[in-house]
Amino acid sequence: MSDKVKYEIEFPIQSSPQLLFQYISTPSGMSEWFADNVNSRGELFTFIWDGSEEIAKLLGKKSNERIRFQWEDDEDTSYYFEMKIVVDEITKDVSLIVTDHTEEDELEEAKMLWENQIGSLKQVLGSR
């Protein structure tokens, strides 16, 4: 297996950090934009898309700030994906920073996937 590369994408989102956090950290919130359905048992989250399931372990979260998961396939590696809410101190603009890891030759595709997912999140939030 080749090494994955880490990448980060920032998305401006018009939402309160509290509301945004509900959508990125709860199964009910995530099933509205991230996957067709999301279930959690303790720290294990099951994401369902078109009948296929992926399991991710919750590595950590800080209320209204960030959440970090690791896919089951990446167990015993340092790979993870994280969604972090950042509020500009001066303008109070809210951004969601996504950090993820992917194969180098799949980088553009992975970024496009996140852009589509966050586009869905913005629709759910009524953000532009």
Side-chain angles (χ1 to χ4, degrees), residues 19 23 29 32-33 118-127:
L19 180 64
Y23 279 98
E32 288 199 42
W33 67 276
I118 301 300
S120 298
L121 172 61
K122 287 180 173 185
Q123 279 187 317
V124 169
L125 288 166
S127 172

Side-chain angles (χ1 to χ4, degrees), residues 97-115:
I97 297 176
V98 173
T99 305
D100 202 353
H101 297 79
T102 191
E103 307 291 330
E104 199 157 355
D105 60 351
E106 294 175 3
L107 186 58
E108 288 311 308
E109 192 179 316
K111 286 182 177 180
M112 277 176 36
L113 184 65
W114 273 111
E115 284 169 15

Side-chain angles (χ1 to χ4, degrees), residues 13-30:
I13 295 196
Q14 294 171 331
S15 170
S16 71
Q18 295 79 8
L19 180 64
L20 182 54
F21 190 74
Q22 291 303 309
Y23 279 98
I24 66 170
S25 66
T26 64
S28 61
M30 292 185 87

Side-chain angles (χ1 to χ4, degrees), residues 31 43 45 67 73 77 80 83 85 92 112:
S31 62
E43 58 189 23
F45 280 63
I67 187 154
D73 293 348
T77 71
Y80 62 88
M83 292 175 276
I85 300 168
K92 300 297 179 212
M112 277 176 36

Side-chain angles (χ1 to χ4, degrees), residues 46-112:
T46 304
F47 299 94
I48 301 160
W49 291 276
D50 297 326
S52 71
E53 290 186 6
E54 292 284 336
I55 295 174
K57 182 178 180 184
L58 175 66
L59 295 181
K61 70 178 177 180
K62 189 167 182 188
S63 200
N64 300 329
E65 223 172 274
R66 66 178 170 80
I67 187 154
R68 182 180 286 192
F69 293 98
Q70 182 178 52
W71 293 114
E72 208 174 41
D73 293 348
D74 289 332
E75 203 173 24
D76 301 325
T77 71
S78 58
Y79 305 135
Y80 62 88
F81 70 99
E82 178 179 78
M83 292 175 276
K84 184 166 68 177
I85 300 168
V86 177
V87 181
D88 184 287
E89 285 184 28
I90 297 164
T91 64
K92 300 297 179 212
D93 288 343
V94 175
S95 289
L96 185 65
I97 297 176
V98 173
T99 305
D100 202 353
H101 297 79
T102 191
E103 307 291 330
E104 199 157 355
D105 60 351
E106 294 175 3
L107 186 58
E108 288 311 308
E109 192 179 316
K111 286 182 177 180
M112 277 176 36

